[in-house]
Amino acid sequence: MPHRHNLATIEDYRPLIGSAVVERIREKADMLRGLHVAHINSTYYGGGVAEILSPLTLLMNSVGVMTGWRVIQGAPDFFSITKKMHNALQGGAINLSPRKCRIYEDIVYENAVRNHLHDHDFVIVHDPQPLPMVVNYKKNCPWVWRCHLDLTNPHRELWEYLLQFIELHDAVVLSLEEYRQRLRTPQLFFKPCIDPFSIKNRDMTAENIRERLDHYHIPTDLPIVTQISRFDRWKDPAGVIEAFRLAREEVPCTLVLLGNVATDDPEGGEVYTSLLDQREERIIIISRQDTALVNALQRHAAVVIQKSLREGFGLTVTEAMWKGAAVIGGNAGGISYQIEDGVNGFLVSTIEEAADRIVRLIRDKDLRSSLGKAAREQVRENFLMTRLLEDYLDLFASFETIFRLRDGEEA
Ligand code: UDP
């Protein structure tokens, strides 16, 4: 007999967010029941966007908003161009040749032909990869561009080129107010959220944690410092290794760098390989997609570090904070909106600061536990998936006039 599926619904959140909030969200969703929404991004796993879309689209359906998720496809040259764009939007360089623009627009056009986004009430396009989709349709509903990147200092020429696509959207959603750009399109700000019931975030028994760590031969005799991130230079894995080397001159510990390579990130393999000659008995570098291992490491580690130099938001920080971990984050982008320095974690700007906080945390169990407690509360209040669900419901409701006009009613 096929087994019963057990997807989390808004009811599961009641003990975490309270009945009043659940009822409020239900009422908002009831007003929008039957709405047909499509989300489009460029990878089904690896990276924060997929991590959000997977639970968000299910939760949306559970409250009656018919929400789909499409993933665009492309050959490696397409993703190598979009990764360059990703880097340049976060402040890197790019040689924006006509050839690159042509490949980018051609592949998105092919995806547009395949995707039939004609009869939706909302289309939500995530990040630069599928951004030009909109030019390929006769638009008959609001289109939203949701950019998850750190837009503190986007490459100007690239931004000017992308504007022709961005401004065809009816709203732009960014992760933080400080990423606001000069745009004709209205801008909104949604901070990302996590699913507390996923394999990555739900409770684990001590036995299951041990089993996962043993499976990868991760030694638990010394305190563990871990960074769990795509192998991406902005995440500064080399800086983490340096900070760890300084810290272990003071306190014995083991470093575990766990990473995955998203299908839309062709640079991941290169970054991973560049780290390999730093491997040694106490510096463990693992490239695997194993969600339960992420959970086990975040729960077991004495210190979770996310030493990013640029970070749109940083879900790995949220995930670790939810587990009551002591987290050290790079003082960049969204991380500084999650960690309040010295209250629910530490924010650092240099390798030396990171090393110092690692030592302090490893030496002080009480400090770890008090920061961890405040960290979990921060996530419970602000970064659970129901909050993002409500943000989207509010956005949809704000277009109500458009629906009424379209349905032939008086505005
Ligand atoms: N992740 C994972 N396995 C890994 C590394 C990362 O499942 O080996 C997940 C991580 O748990 C998080 C997401 O990928 O949910 C990364 O999101 P984040 O916002 O931190 O960064 P992004 O990759 O989007 O830049």
Side-chain angles (χ1 to χ4, degrees):
M1 201 163 97
H3 80 275
R4 277 176 63 82
H5 301 294
N6 193 16
L7 297 179
T9 73
I10 193 164
E11 287 309 317
D12 297 300
Y13 284 82
R14 211 177 272 272
L16 299 174
I17 61 173
S19 290
V21 179
V22 170
E23 294 314 325
R24 185 178 73 214
I25 295 175
R26 276 201 178 286
E27 274 169 32
K28 289 180 180 181
D30 283 347
M31 305 290 290
L32 299 164
R33 185 165 284 280
L35 215 63
H36 191 197
V37 178
H39 287 266
I40 306 164
N41 81 323
S42 59
T43 181
Y44 59 92
Y45 91 91
V49 181
E51 202 64 36
I52 291 167
L53 285 179
S54 175
L56 177 70
T57 49
L58 294 173
L59 200 56
M60 284 270 182
N61 281 287
S62 84
V63 294
V65 178
M66 297 190 305
T67 306
W69 174 13
R70 314 276 176 96
V71 178
I72 62 163
Q73 290 122 41
D77 53 351
F78 170 75
F79 287 116
S80 131
I81 293 166
T82 56
K83 177 69 196 207
K84 289 191 175 93
M85 290 183 172
H86 169 114
N87 288 340
L89 286 172
Q90 299 208 124
I94 187 169
N95 166 20
L96 193 65
S97 63
R99 188 191 71 90
K100 287 196 185 87
C101 297
R102 199 178 56 244
I103 294 175
Y104 174 53
E105 292 176 43
D106 280 352
I107 298 294
V108 171
Y109 173 69
E110 289 176 12
N111 279 278
V113 169
R114 274 189 213 110
N115 266 283
H116 310 282
L117 296 165
H118 302 289
D119 59 352
H120 290 79
D121 297 309
F122 275 97
V123 178
I124 300 160
V125 178
H126 294 260
D127 280 346
Q129 297 90 341
L131 172 60
M133 286 292 263
V134 63
V135 293
N136 301 304
Y137 289 99
K138 187 171 163 297
K139 228 174 74 181
N140 53 14
C141 74
W143 281 57
V144 176
W145 186 48
R146 170 64 178 108
C147 180
H148 298 260
L149 303 180
D150 179 338
L151 291 182
T152 317
N153 182 26
H155 185 280
R156 275 297 131 199
E157 187 195 350
L158 173 62
W159 184 259
E160 295 301 322
Y161 162 67
L162 294 178
L163 264 185
Q164 61 180 314
F165 311 119
I166 296 170
E167 290 194 329
L168 286 177
H169 291 77
D170 301 279
V172 167
V173 178
L174 307 175
S175 295
L176 304 177
E177 177 82 44
E178 70 188 59
Y179 301 156
R180 183 188 283 281
Q181 303 294 314
R182 283 219 325 216
L183 283 178
R184 279 187 299 226
T185 315
Q187 296 171 68
L188 294 100
F189 306 92
F190 294 176
K191 296 195 184 76
C193 287
I194 61 160
D195 171 5
F197 307 111
S198 65
I199 293 174
K200 182 169 293 170
N201 294 319
R202 69 188 180 206
D203 287 345
M204 271 182 110
T205 62
E207 194 190 335
N208 285 343
I209 293 174
R210 167 142 321 252
E211 183 278 321
R212 267 305 79 188
L213 299 179
D214 285 351
H215 183 81
Y216 289 93
H217 310 292
I218 296 171
T220 51
D221 53 337
L222 297 179
I224 288 181
V225 178
T226 188
Q227 173 158 301
I228 299 163
S229 258
R230 282 184 300 107
F231 289 108
D232 177 325
R233 292 183 208 289
W234 300 109
K235 314 283 186 186
D236 199 18
V240 173
I241 295 176
E242 261 190 77
F244 169 80
R245 286 187 193 281
L246 287 175
R248 73 159 168 201
E249 289 173 10
E250 313 271 328
V251 284
C253 43
T254 302
L255 175 67
V256 181
L257 288 184
L258 170 64
N260 58 3
V261 177
T263 57
D264 62 351
D265 181 359
E267 285 175 7
E270 212 179 286
V271 174
Y272 170 67
T273 314
S274 75
L275 298 169
L276 288 183
D277 56 358
Q278 311 247 30
R279 249 182 184 163
E280 48 166 274
E281 193 197 345
R282 293 290 169 183
I283 300 183
I284 297 166
I285 305 176
I286 305 172
S287 175
R288 271 297 161 86
Q289 179 56 43
D290 182 335
T291 340
L293 175 63
V294 174
N295 195 342
L297 264 175
Q298 287 171 333
R299 286 181 190 282
H300 179 84
V303 178
V304 176
I305 184 162
Q306 184 59 57
K307 213 200 139 304
S308 305
L309 304 169
R310 283 269 195 273
E311 190 62 78
F313 184 70
L315 279 174
T316 51
V317 171
T318 333
E319 291 158 3
M321 289 175 82
W322 174 245
K323 289 155 193 141
V327 184
I328 301 173
N331 194 357
I335 297 180
S336 49
Y337 284 76
Q338 303 183 63
I339 296 180
E340 197 180 329
D341 189 36
V343 175
N344 55 21
F346 285 123
L347 287 173
V348 296
S349 302
T350 62
I351 286 168
E352 291 71 26
E353 277 175 16
D356 173 76
R357 303 308 183 273
I358 293 173
V359 173
R360 270 173 70 184
L361 286 170
I362 288 184
R363 284 191 175 144
D364 190 342
K365 188 162 187 281
D366 290 345
L367 178 62
R368 294 203 301 268
S369 101
S370 70
L371 294 179
K373 234 169 147 178
R376 181 170 169 102
E377 195 49 22
Q378 161 77 312
V379 178
R380 193 190 64 74
E381 281 176 15
N382 299 300
F383 304 123
L384 294 183
M385 198 51 68
T386 34
R387 209 236 52 240
L388 189 58
L389 169 67
E390 192 170 10
D391 286 346
Y392 273 106
L393 295 175
D394 290 341
L395 170 67
F396 298 157
S398 73
F399 282 90
E400 191 198 19
T401 325
I402 292 179
F403 297 127
R404 278 198 277 147
L405 280 175
R406 214 178 44 184
D407 294 344
E409 289 174 28
E410 289 281 311

